Amino acid sequence: MRTTYCGLVSETLMDQTVTLMGWAHRRRDHGGVIFIDLRDREGLVQIVCDPDRPEMFKAAEGVRNEFCLKVVGKVRARPAGTENTNLTSGKIEVLAYELEVLNASVTPPFQLDDDNLSETVRLTHRVLDLRRPMMQKNLMLRYRVAMEVRKYLDEQGFVDIETPMLTKSTPEGARDYLVPSRVHDGMFFALPQSPQLFKQLLMVAGFDRYYQITKCFRDEDLRADRQPEFTQIDIETSFLDEAEIRAITEGMVRTVFRKALGVELPVYGELTYAEAMHRYGSDKPDLRVKLEFTEMTDVMKTVDFKVFAGPATSKGGRVAALRVPGGGEMSRSEIDAYTEFVKIYGAKGLAWIKVNDAGKGRDGLQSPIVKNLHDAAIAEILARTGACNGDLIFFGADKAKVVNDALGALRVKIGHSEFGRNHGLFEDKWAPLWVVDFPMFEHDDEAGRWNAVHHPFTAPKDGHEDLMDTDPGACIAKAYDMVLNGWELGGGSVRIHRAEVQSKVFKALNISAEDAKVKFGFLLDALQYGAPPHGGLAFGLDRLVTLMTKAESIRDVIAFPKTQRAQCLLTGAPSNVDEAQLRELHIRLRNPAQA
C-alpha cells in the first residue's frame, strides 16, 4: 500500500509519486491552500493540498488532528526560504493528488506537541502518548539496543534460553509477586525476581554461555528507576574468571552505544567498593560530579564538639567533609535548604564552614561551629580539603551509613544544580565505571545477624573462605557492578560451585542445612553433579535505554509502565475479580476493617 515512511521522504525521491500513510499531526489552512504535517514512526512530512483537485481538497478541509490518512502525491522541492533543516523531509514537500481518511479521530485530550503534560494524563491516555515523537524515538531506540545486544551475544557464542515465569518463592531480597495455584489448594507460584537459580542450573547442564532478555518482578516501593516488572539482560557463562566476564559484558555495552547511538564510550574507570564509599559515599558514584569526600574521623576524635567527637570515637561512626569550590557564594537560606535535604537520608543536621580567608586560620572562617574546634583541627581541615578563599565546606557526622547516604546525595544534588554547573563542578559526559570487590556480608544490627550483600551463591575472593567462620565482615566477594553516570547498569558475580564453600556461606548467614534444603534444594542437588566454575551479570535494559535517551524516568522507555503506586492507569490494573474466580483459587478476602 504505502511506498515509504513519511519521515523518510527526502530529496532522493524528488519528482516521484509516493503513497504515504500516517496521522495528521497538524493542519494549517493558508487561504486556499491546506498544509498537513503527516506523521508516522519515522517522522513528519509536509503535505500540500491545492484546491485545483476539488475532491481531494474537500477531504483535506475535513481533516483534523490525529485523523488517520492515506495520501498519494508527488515529491517536490519546498519554495526557497521555507526549508526545515530539523527534518529529513525538510527540503521537500508532497503535493497531494489523492487524500483518503482511513479513520477519523475524536478530539484528543491533549496536543501531542505539548511538553508540559502531567504524567497522570500521559499514562491514562498512554496510546496517544506513545504517538508523540519523543516516545516513538525512545521505543525505537529500545528496539535497536535489544537487537544489538542479541547480535553481539550471538557472535560471542551465547545461546538464548527461556526460563520459567511461574516458579518457587525464594528469598532474594524483595517481596515476591505470588500466583495462587487452582490445582494445588493453598499453594502458590512466584513470579521470578530474576532467573538467577535457573541460569546456574543451565551452567550445570552444560550450556556454558547463556543469555536471555526477560521480564523480572519485584514487589517493592517504586521510584524513577524502578518498576514492579522490569526487563533484564541476563548473562551467565562457565569457565571464565571475573576479568573475562567483565571484558565480555563491557564489550557488549560499548558495542550497543556505538551501533545504536553512535557514541564511543571512554575508558572505564575501576574502584573497589571500599574506595567508592570512602570517596563518594556511594557504590554507584556519578563521576561527572567533581566533588569528593575528605576523611575527618581521626581529626575529630580530640575536639570538644560532641556532634563530631561522638561519631569519631564510636564504632561504625564517621566524620567526613565535602568541599564545595566557590560555595561561599551560597546564602544562608540555600544552606538551610541543603540541611533539610540531608535529613531525608537520616542526618540530624549539616555543619558547615565558609572560608573567607584561609591564610588567617580560624579568623578567616565563618561558621557557628568554629568556636568548638581547636586550632590543630582547623588547620587539618583546611590542609586536607585544600580549601581556598570563597569555598564552603560541609560536614557529615554520624554512623558511616548515614554520612555516606546524606553527603553522597548532597554531593550529587550540588553537582547537578545550576550552581554546580556554573562553577564547573559538573562535566556533561559519559562516565562509565566498574565497582569491584564488594563485601560478602552486611550486618543487620536489629536482627543481630549477617545478610548476603548480593545473594548467598556469590563466591568469596580466593583465600577469604575461612573469614566466613572467623570474621564475616572482612570477607570480600567476587562481585562487580557496572555503573554509568551514577546509575547501576548491571551487577553480577562469580558463583559458588563447590559444596564446602556453599556450606560456609549458609553457616555465616545462619541458614540451617534443613532450611537450605527447603529453600534451595533443587540447586544444591544439581551442584553435586560436577558443577563448573561459573558466573555472570545482569543488566537493566530499562535503565540502559533511559540513560541513552537521557529521559527522566524509566517509565519514558517502557511502552505500558506502572505508576509509582504500581498501577496501570490505562487498563485500571490491578482490579477486583469476581467471587467465582476467587473460589476457584481457594481464596477468601478478609476485610481489613474487620480483621
Side-chain angles (χ1 to χ4, degrees):
M1 296 172 72
R2 65 181 164 197
T3 58
T4 187
Y5 283 99
C6 300
L8 300 182
V9 181
S10 68
E11 56 269 32
T12 60
L13 297 175
M14 195 72 74
D15 296 325
Q16 295 185 31
T17 299
V18 294
T19 300
L20 306 174
M21 297 184 185
W23 288 266
H25 186 68
R26 190 178 294 105
R27 173 189 173 279
R28 307 181 303 280
D29 191 335
H30 286 194
V33 178
I34 295 174
F35 294 89
I36 298 172
D37 291 336
L38 194 64
R39 184 194 71 244
D40 61 20
R41 76 180 199 191
E42 299 296 338
L44 300 171
V45 66
Q46 179 171 280
I47 308 297
V48 181
C49 304
D50 284 339
D52 55 356
R53 288 183 171 82
E55 187 176 343
M56 178 275 300
F57 192 77
K58 182 178 180 181
E61 286 182 313
V63 168
R64 296 294 181 266
N65 287 4
E66 299 311 309
F67 276 33
C68 187
L69 306 177
K70 174 183 176 181
V71 174
V72 179
K74 180 180 179 181
V75 179
R76 70 182 188 184
R78 290 197 187 194
T82 66
E83 298 90 348
N84 185 343
T85 57
N86 295 321
L87 299 176
T88 301
S89 62
K91 293 182 179 180
I92 59 88
E93 60 190 15
V94 176
L95 178 63
Y97 293 161
E98 302 173 21
L99 188 151
E100 179 183 352
V101 176
L102 299 175
N103 206 344
S105 170
V106 297
T107 302
F110 54 81
Q111 295 295 321
L112 268 63
D113 54 3
D114 185 350
D115 294 328
N116 297 309
L117 298 172
S118 72
E119 190 170 61
T120 298
V121 169
R122 291 180 57 202
L123 295 183
T124 301
H125 304 281
R126 188 60 163 183
V127 173
L128 288 178
D129 186 48
L130 289 173
R131 288 187 185 176
R132 300 169 70 215
M134 177 194 77
M135 292 302 300
Q136 295 267 315
K137 179 181 176 183
N138 287 357
L139 291 187
M140 291 299 288
L141 178 63
R142 182 186 177 112
Y143 157 75
R144 291 196 298 273
V145 168
M147 287 300 297
E148 294 301 338
V149 166
R150 292 186 184 281
K151 287 190 285 187
Y152 175 87
L153 292 175
D154 183 67
E155 290 169 0
Q156 297 293 322
F158 285 80
V159 180
D160 183 354
I161 303 176
E162 293 182 353
T163 54
M165 283 294 164
L166 295 175
T167 184
K168 179 184 176 70
S169 179
T170 58
E172 294 188 48
R175 296 183 191 90
D176 286 326
Y177 276 103
L178 299 178
V179 180
S181 170
R182 179 185 59 82
V183 177
H184 301 282
D185 188 1
M187 294 187 177
F188 293 82
F189 294 104
L191 301 180
Q193 294 186 31
S194 80
Q196 178 62 48
L197 301 182
F198 286 103
K199 66 184 178 183
Q200 291 191 247
L201 292 174
L202 288 169
M203 294 302 102
V204 181
F207 295 95
D208 64 307
R209 293 197 172 194
Y210 141 94
Y211 86 96
Q212 186 181 187
I213 300 179
T214 186
K215 285 288 187 184
C216 301
F217 305 85
R218 294 179 186 174
D219 186 5
E220 59 186 352
D221 294 334
L222 306 182
R223 53 183 186 233
D225 63 346
R226 285 184 179 172
Q227 281 278 290
E229 52 180 325
F230 57 96
T231 304
Q232 190 164 287
I233 306 169
D234 202 46
I235 301 170
E236 194 81 1
T237 183
S238 300
F239 309 116
L240 297 183
D241 61 22
E242 291 177 76
E244 291 168 321
I245 294 170
R246 285 166 45 198
I248 285 178
T249 52
E250 179 179 322
M252 182 190 78
V253 173
R254 286 187 176 281
T255 299
V256 166
F257 267 79
R258 183 187 311 117
K259 294 191 173 182
L261 205 60
V263 168
E264 289 289 345
L265 288 177
V267 174
Y268 275 59
E270 182 177 315
L271 289 174
T272 65
Y273 171 87
E275 186 179 3
M277 299 304 292
H278 181 76
R279 293 171 59 183
Y280 306 108
S282 171
D283 60 2
K284 48 181 183 296
D286 187 344
L287 298 187
R288 297 173 298 172
V289 177
K290 300 178 182 179
L291 297 172
E292 292 190 25
F293 292 5
T294 302
E295 191 60 47
M296 288 293 169
T297 307
D298 57 323
V299 175
M300 299 304 171
K301 289 182 178 180
T302 59
V303 300
D304 294 330
F305 191 36
K306 290 184 178 180
V307 172
F308 285 177
T313 56
S314 300
K315 182 180 179 181
R318 185 181 190 189
V319 182
L322 183 69
R323 172 197 163 214
V324 182
E329 299 175 10
M330 290 186 190
S331 66
R332 185 58 186 268
S333 62
E334 289 175 303
I335 294 174
D336 289 344
Y338 284 134
T339 301
E340 292 303 310
F341 173 74
V342 298
K343 289 180 180 179
I344 298 171
Y345 300 90
K348 300 178 182 69
L350 184 63
W352 55 271
I353 293 176
K354 282 189 177 183
V355 182
N356 296 326
D357 189 341
K360 292 183 179 180
R362 77 166 57 244
D363 293 334
L365 305 180
Q366 177 186 344
S367 169
I369 69 168
V370 169
K371 62 180 180 294
N372 300 311
L373 305 176
H374 52 62
D375 289 341
I378 289 175
E380 198 64 18
I381 289 170
L382 295 175
R384 288 194 186 186
T385 61
C388 302
N389 296 347
D391 290 352
L392 175 65
I393 306 170
F394 286 116
F395 296 88
D398 210 307
K399 293 180 180 179
K401 184 179 188 314
V402 173
V403 172
N404 292 339
D405 289 350
L407 272 193
L410 180 65
R411 168 185 173 271
V412 172
K413 187 171 182 65
I414 292 174
H416 283 256
S417 69
E418 184 178 354
F419 170 89
R421 292 172 184 267
N422 290 340
H423 285 74
L425 305 182
F426 179 87
E427 185 177 358
D428 192 4
K429 62 179 182 178
W430 296 107
L433 172 71
W434 282 107
V435 178
V436 301
D437 295 352
F438 280 78
M440 278 281 290
F441 308 104
E442 58 186 355
H443 196 261
D444 184 335
D445 293 333
E446 291 185 9
R449 57 171 293 168
W450 292 98
N451 293 323
V453 170
H454 285 82
H455 54 71
F457 305 103
T458 300
K461 286 283 189 184
D462 295 338
H464 284 226
E465 293 89 350
D466 291 340
L467 289 173
M468 290 188 281
D469 294 326
T470 60
D471 188 5
C475 188
I476 303 300
K478 293 181 179 179
Y480 35 81
D481 281 358
M482 184 187 288
V483 176
L484 181 62
N485 292 3
W487 285 44
E488 178 195 329
L489 275 192
S493 68
V494 173
R495 325 300 185 189
I496 297 169
H497 68 285
R498 291 186 293 146
E500 64 272 20
V501 178
Q502 189 64 69
S503 295
K504 285 180 177 288
V505 173
F506 284 153
K507 182 179 178 182
L509 295 173
N510 199 29
I511 297 175
S512 68
E514 293 75 16
D515 282 346
K517 183 69 174 175
V518 170
K519 295 173 181 175
F520 311 110
F522 61 95
L523 176 64
L524 298 176
D525 289 345
L527 292 177
Q528 298 178 91
Y529 298 104
H534 60 282
L537 194 146
F539 291 94
L541 176 63
D542 311 300
R543 291 186 182 185
L544 175 60
V545 180
T546 301
L547 278 167
M548 295 174 79
T549 60
K550 298 186 178 180
E552 294 184 0
S553 164
I554 64 172
R555 292 187 289 277
D556 284 339
V557 301
I558 298 172
F560 301 104
K562 307 293 188 292
T563 67
Q564 287 192 320
R565 296 188 63 196
Q567 294 174 301
C568 176
L569 298 182
L570 177 68
T571 64
S575 61
N576 295 320
V577 297
D578 61 43
E579 184 65 28
Q581 287 178 282
L582 294 177
R583 283 198 301 270
E584 283 187 332
L585 296 170
H586 320 290
I587 290 176
R588 182 174 61 190
L589 298 181
R590 185 176 67 182
N591 187 340
Q594 299 175 358

